[in-house]
Amino acid sequence: MRADVRKGLWSSAALILLISGQAALARDAGGTAYVRALAETVAEDDALAAFYRERGYEDLWTGADDAARRGAALAVFAAAPDQGLPAARYDAAALIAAYRAAETEGDRGRVEAAMSRAFLAYARDVSSGVLTPNKVDPGIVREIVRPDPAVLLRGLAASPSPARFLRDLVPAAPEYARLVKEKLRLETNPGWGEAIAADALALGATGPAVVQLRNQLISRGYLVQTASASYDRALMRAVQRFQADSGIVGDGQAGPSTIAALNVPLQERLKSVVVALERLRWMGNAPRGARHIWVNQPDFVARIVDNGRTTFQTRVVIGKNVEDQRSPEFSDEMEYMVVNPSWGVPRSIIVKEYLPLLQQNSNAVGHLQVVDRNGRVVPRGAVNFAAYSASSFPFGLRQPPSDGNALGKVKFMFPNQYNIYLHDTPAKNLFESEVRAYSHGCIRLGDPIDFAHVLLARQTDDPKGLFQSELDSAQESSVSLDQKVPVHLVYFTAWPSLRGQVGFRADVYGRDARLYQALTEAGVVLGAERG
């Protein structure tokens, strides 16, 4: 629904306090017809039934004194599409129509129940998300904290400012408001102009494709209006700004990656914004941590953030885009780091990759030790690998600390059931790629030593010396963090930059596509489709 339509819906002096001429319906709030209708309507909803019993079936929405609460709720219901929410779940127009049509106390009881149901649905959706993420994609294992309906109802009933109470349900993260603004901007944008008909463009180029490039950057806000048809310095700087927001090497040359990113249709970028809003709702209003680690997988970057400012960042490699190897999405707390780590090979890798090799040649993968359930090394000659299947193989494989260890020189632990952590790697060449999805699921860091130094600087005057002394021992050792650091493994393909522009990334795992489909099935409709 367009903003002007919503304004018209919620005008006429707030529908004259929502049809004040029907105030007669509120004169007998305790009437038996009202109570009976309300009780029968909410009977199958335990939370609603208990709430109304507790208050003797006193009205929350439909009484003569409920106009402010009623008006505030209907206003946010009507504006729900702006946040990418399924407005049909809390249809303001239908509720208003029901209130207008009510003629009896029984009708009022049913409208009262409908308003409460709509409020609970809206409050749940806006504060914790429309979807249950792991039902859409098993790689999204983020724990969702759903609001308690009883707490919501009591809180709203007691609030001296219903409008403020409803506003406080919306995620407070500044990125949320910026993404809502971007959603509305994209929905009212006629488009970014013609697709750029070139594989690559560079400084000094001229012709129609340069004009197409220039027009796209102007329409996106990266370049002031100009009619020049040549790839000049001003255009190069605009390209660099776009590249910075898009995770592309900022050389100012419009290479294949830059042109491909510019040519993604506006509607696809709008879908990314809608999905990003849903992901932020899953995170609710829980604090990220004054210091926290933010790993945005499609961005291939890990950041240490202190009081909202990035104080360190490094490139990362994430899991391959194959089943069981995609990096999951969740939050936890980093507790310690392991210097000179040994690598306990995950069971899935053992049986899928290494056991077949060992069955052909017992001396294969010689850099790995065979260990029993107690971690004791077992001589290879004592094992008949061919006698075991993937399900019956009783041994583990471990790589001791070494220069070639798969985990490199350090790993950073936030113990979790998914066996995911951040770590070093000897495969430094992988960080040169623009798309870095190569691991088995864990997050590999491009600059792990400096990452360790920054973490340790909070608890020692000589973080480099402390780390180096542990490293020089050549023995596996654990260094605890005096304060646990929240870690957020996230997946945002749309994210606001500090300059206000929303940057976009590729949907590496196809998760956004699945989530957007689920949102549309739940009733989310884009502005252009609402008409």
Side-chain angles (χ1 to χ4, degrees), residues 336-398:
Y336 62 96
M337 64 184 73
V338 178
V339 186
N340 297 315
S342 57
W343 179 44
V345 184
R347 178 76 182 180
S348 60
I349 299 177
I350 292 174
V351 298
K352 290 180 181 179
E353 300 182 23
Y354 293 148
L355 180 57
L357 297 176
L358 290 165
Q359 288 172 334
Q360 295 178 23
N361 178 3
S362 62
N363 292 316
V365 290
H367 62 293
L368 301 176
Q369 298 171 331
V370 179
V371 295
D372 63 18
R373 287 189 172 89
N374 297 315
R376 295 172 297 200
V377 176
V378 177
R380 289 178 178 236
V383 179
N384 179 10
F385 294 101
Y388 299 104
S389 66
S391 61
S392 65
F393 188 63
F395 302 104
L397 297 177
R398 180 177 63 201

Side-chain angles (χ1 to χ4, degrees), residues 78 148 166 362 382 441:
D148 184 333
L166 291 163
S362 62

Side-chain angles (χ1 to χ4, degrees), residues 113 224 440 486 488:
V224 297
H440 285 86
H488 305 288

Side-chain angles (χ1 to χ4, degrees), residues 41-112:
T41 307
V42 302
E44 295 183 4
D45 187 318
D46 292 343
L48 274 179
F51 171 73
Y52 279 108
R53 279 197 305 271
E54 288 172 5
R55 57 193 281 119
Y57 294 95
E58 179 186 355
D59 49 62
L60 186 65
W61 309 102
T62 58
D65 298 329
D66 299 331
R69 188 180 299 117
R70 187 168 63 232
L74 287 167
V76 298
F77 297 169
D82 293 348
Q83 300 181 65
L85 293 169
R89 291 188 182 182
Y90 13 88
D91 189 340
L95 290 166
I96 291 170
Y99 193 97
R100 281 174 164 168
E103 296 181 350
T104 67
E105 285 293 290
D107 292 339
R108 186 167 74 87
R110 286 181 283 275
V111 173
E112 176 76 25

Side-chain angles (χ1 to χ4, degrees), residues 15 18 100 124 164 187 201 257 263 308 340 367 379 414 485 507:
L15 286 174
L18 247 180
R100 281 174 164 168
R124 176 188 184 277
R164 175 172 293 180
E187 286 181 328
L201 295 167
S257 296
N263 281 343
N340 297 315
H367 62 293
F414 39 105
V485 181
D507 185 10

Side-chain angles (χ1 to χ4, degrees), residues 8 27 48 145 166 213 249 262 271-272 301 388 418 448 459 503 525 528 530:
R27 289 173 187 160
L48 274 179
V145 180
L166 291 163
L213 171 63
V249 175
L262 285 164
K271 293 176 183 178
S272 294
V301 171
Y388 299 104
Y418 317 109
Q459 59 194 64
V525 182
R530 291 195 300 272

Side-chain angles (χ1 to χ4, degrees), residues 166-347:
L166 291 163
R167 281 197 303 271
D168 288 345
L169 296 173
V170 178
E175 295 87 0
Y176 191 82
R178 293 174 194 161
L179 286 167
V180 169
K181 183 178 179 181
E182 179 72 0
K183 176 181 179 293
L184 297 175
R185 187 182 76 85
L186 292 177
E187 286 181 328
T188 56
N189 192 319
W192 288 320
E194 296 180 354
I196 301 163
D199 294 328
L201 295 167
L203 189 65
T206 59
V210 173
V211 175
Q212 292 162 349
L213 171 63
R214 182 176 295 276
N215 288 344
Q216 282 225 29
L217 291 169
I218 290 170
S219 66
R220 295 166 188 265
Y222 287 98
L223 186 65
V224 297
Q225 189 72 40
T226 174
S228 174
S230 64
Y231 200 129
D232 54 19
R233 294 284 178 183
L235 182 56
M236 184 180 77
R237 288 191 291 272
V239 169
Q240 284 179 312
R241 288 191 288 272
F242 174 79
Q243 290 170 329
D245 287 343
S246 304
I248 300 170
V249 175
D251 58 7
Q253 310 302 314
S257 296
T258 300
I259 289 179
L262 285 164
N263 281 343
V264 173
L266 181 148
Q267 195 76 355
E268 293 304 309
R269 295 311 196 193
L270 178 55
K271 293 176 183 178
S272 294
V273 171
V274 169
V275 172
L277 287 167
E278 175 71 356
R279 280 196 161 91
L280 275 174
R281 290 191 287 263
W282 294 338
M283 300 184 79
N285 278 320
R288 296 177 194 169
R291 159 167 279 197
H292 64 268
I293 295 164
W294 186 262
V295 183
N296 188 15
Q297 297 172 40
D299 195 23
F300 303 105
V301 171
R303 292 176 170 84
I304 297 176
V305 180
D306 291 298
N307 299 311
R309 186 173 65 90
T310 298
T311 53
F312 181 83
Q313 70 178 55
T314 179
R315 292 183 172 194
V316 302
V317 168
I318 66 172
K320 298 174 187 175
N321 185 24
V322 298
E323 189 175 358
D324 297 331
Q325 295 187 33
R326 301 179 186 98
S327 298
E329 300 171 51
F330 67 99
S331 295
D332 212 306
E333 288 187 319
M334 185 176 292
E335 300 178 11
Y336 62 96
M337 64 184 73
V338 178
V339 186
N340 297 315
S342 57
W343 179 44
V345 184
R347 178 76 182 180

